[in-house]
Amino acid sequence: MSLSESMRRVLPYIRGMLIGSTGRPVRLVPVVDPPGVPFEIDLSEMGEITEERVLHLLSTVAEEWRDERSGSRFLLVRLREEERCFRVEGRGGGPGRGEPGSPYEGLSTKGREDVVRGRVAVVTGGAQGFGEQIVRGLCASGAYVCIADLNAEGAERLADEINAEAGEPVAWAVQVNVADEGSVEGLFARIVEEAGGLDLCVSNAGVLRAGSVLSQSSEDFRFVTEVNYVAFFLVTKHAARIMRAQHLLAPRWYTDIVQINSKSGLAGSNKNGAYAGSKFGGIGLVQSFALELVEYHIKVNAICPGNFFDGPLWSDPEKGLFVQYLRAGKVPGARTVDDVRRYYESKIPMGRGCTGPDVMRALYYIVEQEYETGQALPVAGGQVMLH
Ligand SMILES: NC(=O)c1ccc[n+]([C@@H]2O[C@H](COP(=O)([O-])OP(=O)(O)OC[C@H]3O[C@@H](n4cnc5c(N)ncnc54)[C@H](O)[C@@H]3O)[C@@H](O)[C@H]2O)c1
């Protein structure tokens, strides 16, 4: 059921109003024929929709909503050219900082499992690899997750599997090319249609084309730069517009943009300059966007994982890096894939590759922490250390 552009424009403000009045994340799900009388938000007299007018009208509505909210699970939104009904849905999430008002508020670990519960999240490149791990982790922790990937079939398959396990719709798939602005704009329009807004954007889609600076084609160099670097700008631009609109009516609510960067964003990578350069650049964007968006309580951080040896990039039996390096004789004396793997593991002080749960711990920390932004958090078993 697609919504008009005007409806899509006002929904994040309305979602912000609901979060602002309850302190909890919600999802606005379009419905036909709600049971009972819905709570009405009448914006039909507004004429031209401007941010100033929407904010003015909704701040009056917020008080009525607060008074009536116990009885209302349905909203009717009236615009001049359209009216739609929405079910207000949550998975019970809260800010996750212990009992409000108790002397231990924010100090105890109680409620920490609620860090992402009920939040609306998107994970780009979510169909496989680290992205898939992040999608699974977020869904298992109570978030609603949009799996945004170029590989539509893989994203659909994953969403179906997760929803069947959960017994309720907690994930949905959208095809996107993060390097194309029109496609990215379409992705965020779909997220607003599905959920009314957004709390967590994980910019994970990334590509690697290794090559010597003496011979790599400029096409390969540009391809890596477009997907790893330019796309992070595009994704942040369109995610942050929604988050900013929510913030204007939920001034205490924090939202997050997290880039899955790499240890190669912190230290150079031999014959892999396109990749390392794009990841170093990503950290410059993270710091700059963080400075600008802090005003709207949007935190922007990067996670810099070490090698995910169990993921398809390394372990795919046909085109994974272990097989490629074995065939190319890159590791002297290696006769099997396991020899190559052991060689790379031995370079890591903690003796193993990075895993999905390692990345999830960093992600939960970033979302929970309300006093840090613009950081690049290594999750690399000691292989890179910050100065
Ligand atoms: N695998 C590792 O060892 C490792 C280590 C450090 C950091 N990283 C980073 O983690 C992220 C994920 O890496 P991975 O190894 O899990 O990747 P992967 O290749 O296993 O999966 C990447 C996913 O992104 C999707 N994708 C690619 N281009 C896209 C585009 N233009 N638009 C939308 N989706 C697109 C793919 O379809 C795929 O599902 C990347 O940013 C990567 O740089 C990976």
Side-chain angles (χ1 to χ4, degrees):
M1 176 177 4
S2 69
L3 305 175
S4 71
E5 207 191 315
S6 307
M7 189 62 84
R8 282 205 306 265
R9 243 188 98 194
V10 301
L11 280 183
Y13 296 99
I14 294 176
R15 182 171 186 263
M17 180 204 89
L18 299 175
I19 295 174
S21 69
T22 60
R24 288 180 180 276
V26 291
R27 199 161 68 118
L28 292 175
V29 186
V31 287
V32 197
D33 296 333
V37 184
F39 179 86
E40 265 188 48
I41 298 181
D42 191 352
L43 304 174
S44 61
E45 302 290 302
M46 195 164 46
E48 194 203 338
I49 298 178
T50 64
E51 181 169 278
E52 212 183 357
R53 289 180 196 173
V54 173
L55 292 178
H56 178 70
L57 272 160
L58 288 182
S59 27
T60 324
V61 174
E63 278 169 37
E64 291 168 37
W65 169 261
R66 259 195 296 271
D67 294 342
E68 285 196 29
R69 70 168 187 260
S70 50
S72 307
R73 298 220 48 85
F74 293 91
L75 287 182
L76 178 71
V77 181
R78 272 192 223 286
L79 296 180
R80 214 163 32 167
E81 74 277 27
E82 185 187 12
E83 63 177 49
R84 284 297 179 116
C85 205
F86 299 88
R87 192 173 61 242
V88 182
E89 225 175 63
R91 289 183 81 191
R97 263 168 297 288
E99 298 298 320
S102 108
Y104 301 103
E105 183 181 349
L107 293 176
S108 100
T109 56
K110 190 159 179 271
R112 187 150 288 168
E113 68 279 7
D114 274 348
V115 166
V116 296
R117 183 168 303 282
R119 290 189 193 227
V120 178
V122 56
V123 182
T124 69
Q128 68 165 49
F130 270 142
E132 176 185 346
Q133 296 282 299
I134 296 167
V135 167
R136 286 185 188 277
L138 289 174
C139 288
S141 302
Y144 291 104
V145 184
C146 173
I147 308 170
D149 206 295
L150 202 52
N151 173 3
E153 216 180 286
E156 292 281 357
R157 211 179 315 120
L158 181 60
D160 289 348
E161 186 195 319
I162 291 174
N163 290 335
E165 277 166 15
E168 56 174 330
V170 296
W172 80 100
V174 176
Q175 184 173 34
V176 69
N177 175 3
V178 290
D180 176 302
E181 184 158 17
S183 179
V184 171
E185 233 179 320
L187 164 67
F188 286 99
R190 291 279 301 280
I191 292 171
V192 169
E193 296 208 345
E194 186 75 26
L198 181 67
D199 303 301
L200 169 61
C201 173
V202 183
S203 178
N204 162 81
V207 291
L208 186 152
R209 281 193 188 165
S212 154
V213 63
L214 301 175
S215 57
Q216 185 169 48
S217 70
S218 59
E219 286 76 20
D220 276 2
F221 187 91
R222 286 205 170 90
F223 172 71
V224 172
T225 308
E226 287 289 325
V227 179
N228 293 0
Y229 179 72
V230 179
F232 178 56
F233 155 70
L234 297 175
V235 166
T236 301
K237 174 176 171 181
H238 293 281
R241 287 179 173 192
I242 298 171
M243 293 170 168
R244 174 189 168 279
Q246 290 171 173
H247 168 78
L248 297 175
L249 286 150
R252 295 176 59 190
W253 188 246
Y254 283 91
T255 51
D256 286 273
I257 294 173
V258 180
Q259 189 196 38
I260 303 303
N261 197 283
S262 169
K263 68 177 168 52
S264 304
L266 300 171
S269 184
N270 190 17
K271 296 192 179 150
N272 198 14
Y275 183 75
S278 69
K279 293 293 187 180
F280 266 71
I283 290 177
L285 297 181
V286 163
Q287 294 185 1
S288 308
F289 298 159
L291 287 171
E292 178 178 349
L293 298 175
V294 70
E295 179 182 352
Y296 308 112
H297 276 204
I298 305 170
K299 295 175 278 155
V300 188
N301 291 287
I303 294 174
C304 300
N307 297 326
F308 180 25
F309 293 141
D310 295 328
L313 180 77
W314 285 86
S315 283
D316 185 284
E318 250 127 67
K319 45 187 178 76
L321 293 176
F322 287 136
V323 181
Q324 284 187 43
Y325 292 168
L326 180 67
R327 287 189 197 130
K330 197 170 158 173
V331 178
R335 292 161 159 228
T336 64
V337 160
D338 281 347
D339 293 340
V340 180
R341 183 177 177 129
R342 269 192 294 275
Y343 170 78
Y344 281 96
E345 282 172 348
S346 72
K347 293 174 165 219
I348 304 166
M350 288 187 165
R352 65 168 178 87
C354 186
T355 66
D358 296 324
V359 171
M360 289 315 288
R361 281 183 206 105
L363 185 59
Y364 294 135
Y365 164 74
I366 284 172
V367 174
E368 185 182 20
Q369 179 58 269
E370 292 185 350
Y371 193 55
E372 206 51 271
T373 190
Q375 300 303 329
L377 192 60
V379 184
Q383 205 175 0
V384 287
M385 295 182 185
L386 299 177
H387 312 286

